[in-house]
Amino acid sequence: MSEARKARLGVLLSGRGSNFIAIADAISNGSLTGCEIAVVLSNIADAPGLSAAQQRGLATEVHVSKGVPRAEHDAKMIAALNSHEIDLVILAGYMRVLSPEFIRAFPNRILNIHPSLLPSFPGLHAQQQALDYGAKVAGCTVHFVDEAVDHGVIILQRVVPVEDTDDEAVLSARILEQEHQAYPEAIARVLSGKYATRERRFLKR
Ligand code: GAR
C-alpha cells in the first residue's frame, strides 16, 4: 500500500538552527507527522544550523545574501524552494526581511516564529525589548508571514513569566524552550488543514 504523500517543508535559517533541530526531532520521533524536511536553505554560508542539517543527511543550499539586491536574492530562494517542490516554507531564525515577490510566491504558506508576544516587540532583540519595557510576561508567536514585518495571522503563542533577575540571555532561553514546542505544534495545526482564518483570527475547526 502506498503511503500518503508527505507535505514537503523548506526551512530557511541564518544561524544556530535550534528551531530547525526541534522540528527535525519532532519529525524523527513521530510527534510531528505527515511531513518531511525537503531542503534547508541559508543566506549565511557558515550558519551552524546548516551543518546540523547536513549531519542529518538533509539537502542544504546556501544562497549568500550579503551584497546581493533583495529581489535578486529572493528570486534564487524562490527557485530553490520550487525545485524542491515545497508545500510549506518555515522561517527558523531567518534574519532577513522577505520581498513582496517572495511572499506572493507562497501565499499563506510561509510560517515564522518570533520571540515575543506579537504585536508587542517586533523586530530585532525582542527579548531585550520586553525587558526594557518592563513587561511581566513574554513569550513567542508562530504566525503566517504577510507583507508587513512580524505581522501576519497568529497561529499560536506561548507565554513565559519575566523574572526580576532576568537578563536577555536568561529570558531568551526560557522563551526558546517554548519556541521548540510551539513551532512543531503550529506546523501540525496548519498541515491538518483543520482551521479557518477570519480576518486576523486563526480558528480551529
Ligand atoms: C529564535 O529565538 C527565533 O524566534 C528568532 O531567532 C532565534 C533563532 O534561533 N527569530 C527572530 O527573531 C525573527 N524575527 P535558532 O536559530 O536557534 O532557531
Side-chain angles (χ1 to χ4, degrees), residues 65 71 74 90 94 104 123 143 163 180 188:
S65 56
D74 278 5
I90 305 295
Y94 185 63
R104 285 177 210 147
H143 63 94
E163 307 290 355
H180 295 163

Side-chain angles (χ1 to χ4, degrees), residues 1-204:
M1 210 156 57
S2 70
E3 246 184 77
R5 181 184 178 279
K6 288 183 176 172
R8 295 172 63 78
L9 310 183
V11 177
L12 271 57
L13 54 79
S14 303
R16 180 177 56 184
S18 73
N19 276 289
F20 148 67
I21 291 168
I23 294 163
D25 284 349
I27 293 172
S28 344
N29 72 24
S31 55
L32 175 59
T33 57
C35 62
E36 61 191 336
I37 295 175
V39 69
V40 177
L41 300 179
S42 182
N43 63 322
I44 305 287
D46 59 357
L50 267 182
S51 346
Q54 283 152 3
Q55 278 161 20
R56 284 163 186 263
L58 295 169
T60 62
E61 284 184 32
V62 177
H63 297 283
V64 173
S65 56
K66 198 166 182 206
V68 182
R70 192 177 306 281
E72 193 182 311
H73 179 257
D74 278 5
K76 288 184 191 151
M77 299 293 271
I78 294 167
L81 291 165
N82 282 334
S83 77
H84 288 275
E85 300 179 354
I86 295 308
D87 298 300
L88 205 57
V89 179
I90 305 295
L91 306 184
Y94 185 63
M95 304 311 272
R96 213 172 139 75
V97 172
L98 300 176
S99 61
E101 290 73 21
F102 190 119
I103 289 157
R104 285 177 210 147
F106 302 97
N108 297 318
R109 289 195 293 139
I110 309 173
L111 270 54
N112 182 43
I113 190 156
H114 183 75
S116 80
L117 297 172
L118 291 172
S120 293
F121 316 128
L124 295 175
H125 301 291
Q127 305 93 330
Q128 185 63 49
Q129 290 187 56
L131 287 171
D132 292 345
Y133 200 85
K136 297 297 183 196
V137 292
C140 63
T141 303
V142 184
H143 63 94
F144 285 111
V145 173
D146 67 10
E147 290 186 27
V149 173
D150 296 331
H151 173 268
V153 165
I154 292 172
I155 300 161
L156 69 80
Q157 294 184 304
R158 286 283 173 86
V159 180
V160 302
V162 178
E163 307 290 355
D164 291 351
T165 50
D166 282 353
D167 60 14
E168 186 179 15
V170 170
L171 179 59
S172 298
R174 191 177 303 122
I175 295 171
L176 194 62
E177 205 181 313
Q178 295 303 313
E179 292 186 42
H180 295 163
Q181 295 177 23
Y183 218 165
E185 191 180 324
I187 292 169
R189 282 191 198 176
V190 169
L191 291 178
S192 77
K194 291 181 187 154
Y195 68 91
T197 52
R198 198 171 69 222
E199 296 177 349
R200 284 204 49 90
R201 300 186 66 189
F202 180 93
L203 306 167
K204 288 187 211 163

